[in-house]
Amino acid sequence: MIRTAERLNSIQEYYFSKKLREVRGLMAQGRPIINMGIGSPDLVPSKKVLNAIQTAVTENGAHQYQSYQGLPQLRNAIAQFYKQRFQVTADPDTEILPLMGSKEGIMHISLAFLNEGDEVLIPNPGYPTYTSVTNLVGAVPKYYDLTDENGWFPDLEELQKQDLSKVRVMWLSYPHMPTGATATRDQFKKIVAFARKNDILLVNDNPYSFVLNSDPASILSIENAKDVCLELNSLSKTFNMAGWRVGFVLGNDEHINAILKVKSNMDSGMFYGIQKGAIAALESTDDWFEELNNVYGKRRALIFQLADTLGCTYDRNAVGMFVWAKLPQGSKSSEEFIDDILYKKDLFITPGTIFGSNGKGYIRFSLCISEDKIKEAIARF
């Protein structure tokens, strides 16, 4: 009998992998399921981006292996994007590394900086992949609480009272997923100082900055943040390129080189055409962001109506492509609540508990669904 690796005992199949299989089964039975669960953009990239990849396919060398560090033009485009949009200066030759999606970066960073038994600070609620990757590399998840009462920002004074001697990495995500909370510049300064004091590598996962957010921010804009910080970013949400798998990480040259050691042993470079499309996306003008947010703004207004219909409460100032909503007092558990709606109203919503115990009593709506479908969902109630 062939046995599997013991590390698989530390993780479970991704929630959406299992739940969407159930949803597809219901659809195969003819059920008119409306999926408001997963954050996969249903909009398309710009014509400029599509033209760039189509043209690139016919260029000489397009189908050969590419550099592990990506095209110099792509790294330059990322540097210019960060300078223009975040007022962050990064050396395209040493401080930027393109990735096949920022999710890949979570694994690369973990492999580069964590030994077995090291501890990792993970937000609760937060992206489940932080936990699963931590377990896969043999490190130990150490959760820090995020609550509505504290603006979904960590209580650094409380954290400092804990034994942090084994903590090597801290995952951060602002704008925050799933709540849509943002961090102020002062909060970023405080958490960078916390990381420096405790010799912790702080990693901000930042793919939602430009979705319904009037003030995009990068933790790397804090003075000397690169000494202790990395930032992940992605083209999936901002440019509707989720399936293209384009992300990148920024940090100082020492940290980037460590990640490159891992990455260069795990892939053979990103397809040339996708890199050219990514360059075109990063050169988008303000019109692109305004149009994108106009669409998501209309959808969010309708989701607010649906949440009101369900008796939920929510923060109208939250950003990103989700609406994080608190269930009415006395409701069933999040899982029971969404299953009841799934089977009675053919509507799939994400339970907050998949993001951690502090997601208890919450549900998450995705904005990656047309206005007509949201109106139909409202009508079902």
Side-chain angles (χ1 to χ4, degrees):
M1 181 176 178
I2 306 299
R3 62 173 176 82
T4 58
E6 290 183 5
R7 69 175 60 89
L8 292 186
N9 297 328
S10 69
I11 62 170
Q12 297 179 343
E13 184 182 2
Y14 195 45
Y15 171 82
F16 285 116
S17 175
K18 293 187 295 184
K19 198 65 181 179
L20 292 178
R21 201 161 49 235
E22 179 183 348
V23 169
R24 285 193 297 270
L26 292 173
M27 294 175 70
Q29 297 171 20
R31 300 280 291 271
I33 304 294
I34 297 176
N35 185 350
M36 292 184 173
I38 198 165
S40 179
D42 60 315
L43 303 172
V44 299
S46 71
K47 290 182 179 179
K48 180 182 176 182
V49 169
L50 296 176
N51 288 338
I53 188 173
Q54 289 171 339
T55 302
V57 168
T58 63
E59 292 183 23
N60 290 333
H63 308 291
Q64 296 175 343
Y65 287 127
Q66 300 298 314
S67 165
Y68 299 113
Q69 296 172 278
L71 294 171
Q73 302 98 302
L74 175 56
R75 296 196 307 275
N76 284 328
I78 294 168
Q80 291 168 12
F81 181 83
Y82 255 70
K83 183 66 175 177
Q84 178 184 2
R85 302 291 174 180
F86 295 119
Q87 292 74 57
V88 169
T89 301
D91 187 328
D93 294 325
T94 61
E95 296 185 324
I96 294 172
L97 182 63
L99 303 166
M100 294 180 187
S102 58
K103 191 173 185 179
E104 178 199 57
I106 296 171
M107 175 61 83
H108 289 351
I109 291 167
S110 298
L111 287 170
F113 294 98
L114 294 172
N115 290 318
E116 188 171 348
D118 286 344
E119 293 182 347
V120 181
L121 286 171
I122 296 174
N124 176 15
Y127 187 30
T129 297
Y130 304 144
T131 295
S132 58
V133 168
T134 296
N135 287 327
L136 279 171
V137 301
V140 181
K142 185 180 179 74
Y143 298 100
Y144 63 89
D145 287 326
L146 300 179
T147 63
D148 187 18
E149 293 74 22
N150 206 38
W152 305 106
F153 193 79
D155 185 336
L156 298 178
E157 291 184 7
E158 186 61 34
L159 261 181
Q160 191 61 62
K161 296 175 184 177
Q162 301 179 22
D163 179 6
L164 303 174
S165 59
K166 293 184 179 180
V167 174
R168 297 291 175 264
V169 170
M170 180 176 185
W171 290 102
L172 200 67
S173 173
Y174 290 101
H176 183 247
M177 198 292 294
T179 69
T182 55
T184 65
R185 185 170 180 81
D186 186 56
Q187 286 174 319
F188 273 152
K189 285 181 179 179
K190 289 178 179 178
I191 203 163
V192 169
F194 170 83
R196 189 185 304 278
K197 179 179 181 179
N198 295 285
D199 295 322
I200 294 171
L201 179 64
L202 187 62
V203 188
N204 188 44
D205 194 6
N206 188 17
Y208 297 99
S209 274
F210 297 94
V211 182
L212 296 175
N213 185 14
S214 59
D215 189 23
S218 165
I219 199 167
L220 297 181
S221 66
I222 303 304
E223 187 176 3
N224 297 322
K226 288 179 195 170
D227 294 344
V228 293
C229 294
L230 291 168
E231 183 157 279
L232 287 167
N233 216 315
S234 165
L235 304 193
S236 295
K237 318 299 182 182
T238 304
F239 299 106
N240 305 327
M241 295 165 65
W244 295 44
R245 310 310 305 136
V246 183
F248 43 90
V249 59
L250 296 90
N252 69 30
D253 57 350
E254 182 180 347
H255 294 155
I256 294 298
N257 276 331
I259 301 167
L260 179 59
K261 284 183 181 179
V262 174
K263 177 178 169 57
S264 62
N265 282 285
M266 294 184 70
D267 69 61
S268 297
M270 189 187 305
F271 174 53
Y272 176 82
I274 287 178
Q275 293 190 67
K276 297 293 279 190
I279 293 167
L282 290 164
E283 293 172 348
S284 297
T285 61
D286 290 344
D287 291 346
W288 168 260
F289 299 97
E290 291 169 4
E291 184 178 343
L292 186 76
N293 285 320
N294 182 50
V295 172
Y296 281 132
K298 291 177 180 178
R299 292 178 177 186
R300 185 173 63 177
L302 289 170
I303 291 290
F304 286 164
Q305 289 184 37
L306 178 57
D308 289 338
T309 301
L310 295 175
C312 296
T313 53
Y314 47 86
D315 180 5
R316 286 182 171 271
N317 296 317
V319 307
M321 57 171 48
F322 304 104
V323 171
W324 181 249
K326 190 172 185 178
L327 295 175
Q329 189 73 27
S331 291
K332 303 174 181 178
S333 70
S334 300
E335 294 91 339
E336 291 176 308
F337 188 90
I338 69 105
D339 278 344
D340 190 51
I341 289 176
L342 175 61
Y343 283 92
K344 290 182 179 178
K345 301 295 184 181
D346 294 318
L347 177 62
F348 174 50
I349 306 166
T350 304
T353 45
I354 76 163
F355 304 106
S357 60
N358 286 343
K360 181 180 180 181
Y362 290 87
I363 55 177
R364 190 195 73 174
F365 301 88
S366 170
L367 302 182
C368 301
I369 184 170
S370 70
E371 291 180 50
D372 287 344
K373 285 293 184 182
I374 305 173
K375 290 176 182 177
E376 182 181 338
I378 294 170
R380 291 182 184 180
F381 292 91

